[in-house]
Amino acid sequence: MKQADYAISIENLSEDYHVKFIYPDRAIERRIRALDKINFTVTRGESVAILGPNGAGKTTLLKIIAGMLKPDYGHITVNGKVRGIFALEAGFIADLTGYQNLKMAFKLYDINDAGLDQIVEFSELGDFIYAPLKSYSQGMYLRLAFSIAINTAPDILIIDDILAVGDYYFQRKCIAKIKELI
């Protein structure tokens, strides 16, 4: 397969964490292999779900794909602009309004303000877009984060288990938007 045919290519990817366990009578540091020789390719336009139990390395893998972590071993190639939603507060400043955070994200992603109204409309936050984020519920955070990620033209959209915090209506809206992009 030519490089232009795939969005993500992963070869023999491994990632280790060093975790210090502090017991009542001793402390032990152990190497934990979060990912062990992972291999797969995602073609352009393909949707992939990564499933597994808690602690299986799903978020670690997604963060490597997003460029937030570098793998300890192996090789990864990502073709395209990646947007990821991992933690609700990530990248946001709680004392700023949703609108101010949105303007800051546009500067960070080097995007002109043309899509600003579209994002505000998609989020359905109403007047809360002008309220400080510290007054937002988790669902409101999700609305803002997803609206930014989905409306800034990503080639690759990574969504960790964050959609679980949204209300049913907004979850359905997000899934419909993802299907539209596919």
Side-chain angles (χ1 to χ4, degrees), residues 29 36 44 56 59 65 78 80 127 143 146 159 174:
E29 187 169 315
D36 190 20
R44 293 185 184 280
T59 299
I65 294 169
V78 177
D127 285 342
R143 287 172 175 269
F146 187 85
I159 303 170
C174 293

PDB file of all heavy atoms in Angstrom, residues 29 36 44 56 59 65 78 80 127 143 146 159 174:
ATOM      1  N   GLU A  29       9.279   0.176  42.075  1.00  0.00           N
ATOM      2  CA  GLU A  29       9.020   0.742  40.755  1.00  0.00           C
ATOM      3  C   GLU A  29       9.033  -0.393  39.739  1.00  0.00           C
ATOM      4  O   GLU A  29       9.943  -1.222  39.735  1.00  0.00           O
ATOM      5  CB  GLU A  29      10.070   1.790  40.389  1.00  0.00           C
ATOM      6  CG  GLU A  29       9.723   2.504  39.098  1.00  0.00           C
ATOM      7  CD  GLU A  29      10.593   3.722  38.842  1.00  0.00           C
ATOM      8  OE1 GLU A  29      10.809   4.508  39.786  1.00  0.00           O
ATOM      9  OE2 GLU A  29      11.043   3.854  37.698  1.00  0.00           O
ATOM     10  N   ASP A  36       2.145  -3.374  23.332  1.00  0.00           N
ATOM     11  CA  ASP A  36       3.167  -4.368  23.030  1.00  0.00           C
ATOM     12  C   ASP A  36       3.092  -4.794  21.563  1.00  0.00           C
ATOM     13  O   ASP A  36       2.209  -5.563  21.177  1.00  0.00           O
ATOM     14  CB  ASP A  36       2.995  -5.580  23.947  1.00  0.00           C
ATOM     15  CG  ASP A  36       4.162  -6.548  23.870  1.00  0.00           C
ATOM     16  OD1 ASP A  36       5.255  -6.146  23.418  1.00  0.00           O
ATOM     17  OD2 ASP A  36       3.980  -7.711  24.267  1.00  0.00           O
ATOM     18  N   ARG A  44      -7.601   5.817   4.393  1.00  0.00           N
ATOM     19  CA  ARG A  44      -8.366   7.072   4.358  1.00  0.00           C
ATOM     20  C   ARG A  44      -9.859   6.768   4.279  1.00  0.00           C
ATOM     21  O   ARG A  44     -10.275   5.887   3.545  1.00  0.00           O
ATOM     22  CB  ARG A  44      -7.943   7.916   3.168  1.00  0.00           C
ATOM     23  CG  ARG A  44      -6.519   8.418   3.287  1.00  0.00           C
ATOM     24  CD  ARG A  44      -6.191   9.358   2.123  1.00  0.00           C
ATOM     25  NE  ARG A  44      -4.810   9.762   2.178  1.00  0.00           N
ATOM     26  CZ  ARG A  44      -4.328  10.721   2.965  1.00  0.00           C
ATOM     27  NH1 ARG A  44      -5.130  11.364   3.768  1.00  0.00           N
ATOM     28  NH2 ARG A  44      -3.053  11.027   2.959  1.00  0.00           N
ATOM     29  N   ALA A  56      -5.971  -1.053  29.299  1.00  0.00           N
ATOM     30  CA  ALA A  56      -5.456  -1.841  28.176  1.00  0.00           C
ATOM     31  C   ALA A  56      -4.535  -1.044  27.256  1.00  0.00           C
ATOM     32  O   ALA A  56      -3.884  -1.620  26.401  1.00  0.00           O
ATOM     33  CB  ALA A  56      -6.621  -2.408  27.356  1.00  0.00           C
ATOM     34  N   THR A  59      -6.121   4.750  25.439  1.00  0.00           N
ATOM     35  CA  THR A  59      -5.828   6.189  25.439  1.00  0.00           C
ATOM     36  C   THR A  59      -4.364   6.442  25.115  1.00  0.00           C
ATOM     37  O   THR A  59      -4.040   7.394  24.397  1.00  0.00           O
ATOM     38  CB  THR A  59      -6.217   6.816  26.790  1.00  0.00           C
ATOM     39  OG1 THR A  59      -7.629   6.640  26.979  1.00  0.00           O
ATOM     40  CG2 THR A  59      -5.886   8.296  26.824  1.00  0.00           C
ATOM     41  N   ILE A  65      -1.012   8.457  18.436  1.00  0.00           N
ATOM     42  CA  ILE A  65      -1.506   8.817  17.104  1.00  0.00           C
ATOM     43  C   ILE A  65      -1.676  10.323  16.981  1.00  0.00           C
ATOM     44  O   ILE A  65      -1.342  10.917  15.954  1.00  0.00           O
ATOM     45  CB  ILE A  65      -2.820   8.077  16.795  1.00  0.00           C
ATOM     46  CG1 ILE A  65      -2.570   6.576  16.688  1.00  0.00           C
ATOM     47  CG2 ILE A  65      -3.465   8.617  15.512  1.00  0.00           C
ATOM     48  CD1 ILE A  65      -3.838   5.726  16.649  1.00  0.00           C
ATOM     49  N   VAL A  78       1.469   9.210  10.393  1.00  0.00           N
ATOM     50  CA  VAL A  78       0.125   9.778  10.352  1.00  0.00           C
ATOM     51  C   VAL A  78       0.089  10.766   9.197  1.00  0.00           C
ATOM     52  O   VAL A  78       0.889  11.705   9.160  1.00  0.00           O
ATOM     53  CB  VAL A  78      -0.219  10.474  11.684  1.00  0.00           C
ATOM     54  CG1 VAL A  78      -1.586  11.127  11.616  1.00  0.00           C
ATOM     55  CG2 VAL A  78      -0.161   9.482  12.843  1.00  0.00           C
ATOM     56  N   GLY A  80      -2.060  13.520   7.643  1.00  0.00           N
ATOM     57  CA  GLY A  80      -3.200  14.411   7.781  1.00  0.00           C
ATOM     58  C   GLY A  80      -3.196  15.169   9.091  1.00  0.00           C
ATOM     59  O   GLY A  80      -2.398  14.910   9.991  1.00  0.00           O
ATOM     60  N   ASP A 127     -26.366  31.512  25.457  1.00  0.00           N
ATOM     61  CA  ASP A 127     -25.639  32.583  26.142  1.00  0.00           C
ATOM     62  C   ASP A 127     -24.462  32.071  26.975  1.00  0.00           C
ATOM     63  O   ASP A 127     -23.564  32.831  27.316  1.00  0.00           O
ATOM     64  CB  ASP A 127     -26.586  33.385  27.049  1.00  0.00           C
ATOM     65  CG  ASP A 127     -27.494  34.311  26.254  1.00  0.00           C
ATOM     66  OD1 ASP A 127     -27.183  34.588  25.077  1.00  0.00           O
ATOM     67  OD2 ASP A 127     -28.518  34.756  26.807  1.00  0.00           O
ATOM     68  N   ARG A 143     -19.733  19.751  24.696  1.00  0.00           N
ATOM     69  CA  ARG A 143     -20.303  20.463  23.547  1.00  0.00           C
ATOM     70  C   ARG A 143     -19.275  21.404  22.923  1.00  0.00           C
ATOM     71  O   ARG A 143     -19.123  21.439  21.705  1.00  0.00           O
ATOM     72  CB  ARG A 143     -21.545  21.250  23.969  1.00  0.00           C
ATOM     73  CG  ARG A 143     -22.732  20.372  24.241  1.00  0.00           C
ATOM     74  CD  ARG A 143     -23.894  21.174  24.836  1.00  0.00           C
ATOM     75  NE  ARG A 143     -25.049  20.332  24.976  1.00  0.00           N
ATOM     76  CZ  ARG A 143     -25.992  20.191  24.050  1.00  0.00           C
ATOM     77  NH1 ARG A 143     -25.896  20.865  22.916  1.00  0.00           N
ATOM     78  NH2 ARG A 143     -27.015  19.394  24.239  1.00  0.00           N
ATOM     79  N   PHE A 146     -16.111  19.222  21.465  1.00  0.00           N
ATOM     80  CA  PHE A 146     -16.471  18.480  20.260  1.00  0.00           C
ATOM     81  C   PHE A 146     -16.736  19.441  19.107  1.00  0.00           C
ATOM     82  O   PHE A 146     -16.315  19.188  17.975  1.00  0.00           O
ATOM     83  CB  PHE A 146     -17.695  17.591  20.501  1.00  0.00           C
ATOM     84  CG  PHE A 146     -17.992  16.703  19.332  1.00  0.00           C
ATOM     85  CD1 PHE A 146     -17.352  15.489  19.194  1.00  0.00           C
ATOM     86  CD2 PHE A 146     -18.891  17.101  18.354  1.00  0.00           C
ATOM     87  CE1 PHE A 146     -17.607  14.669  18.105  1.00  0.00           C
ATOM     88  CE2 PHE A 146     -19.151  16.297  17.262  1.00  0.00           C
ATOM     89  CZ  PHE A 146     -18.507  15.082  17.130  1.00  0.00           C
ATOM     90  N   ILE A 159     -11.518  10.514  19.167  1.00  0.00           N
ATOM     91  CA  ILE A 159     -12.412  10.784  20.288  1.00  0.00           C
ATOM     92  C   ILE A 159     -12.212   9.684  21.305  1.00  0.00           C
ATOM     93  O   ILE A 159     -12.531   8.527  21.044  1.00  0.00           O
ATOM     94  CB  ILE A 159     -13.881  10.832  19.835  1.00  0.00           C
ATOM     95  CG1 ILE A 159     -14.064  11.875  18.741  1.00  0.00           C
ATOM     96  CG2 ILE A 159     -14.791  11.128  21.023  1.00  0.00           C
ATOM     97  CD1 ILE A 159     -15.413  11.835  18.078  1.00  0.00           C
ATOM     98  N   CYS A 174     -23.587  14.344  17.631  1.00  0.00           N
ATOM     99  CA  CYS A 174     -22.156  14.144  17.384  1.00  0.00           C
ATOM    100  C   CYS A 174     -21.928  12.947  16.459  1.00  0.00           C
ATOM    101  O   CYS A 174     -21.128  13.024  15.519  1.00  0.00           O
ATOM    102  CB  CYS A 174     -21.409  13.923  18.704  1.00  0.00           C
ATOM    103  SG  CYS A 174     -21.365  15.365  19.777  1.00  0.00           S
TER     104      CYS A 174
END
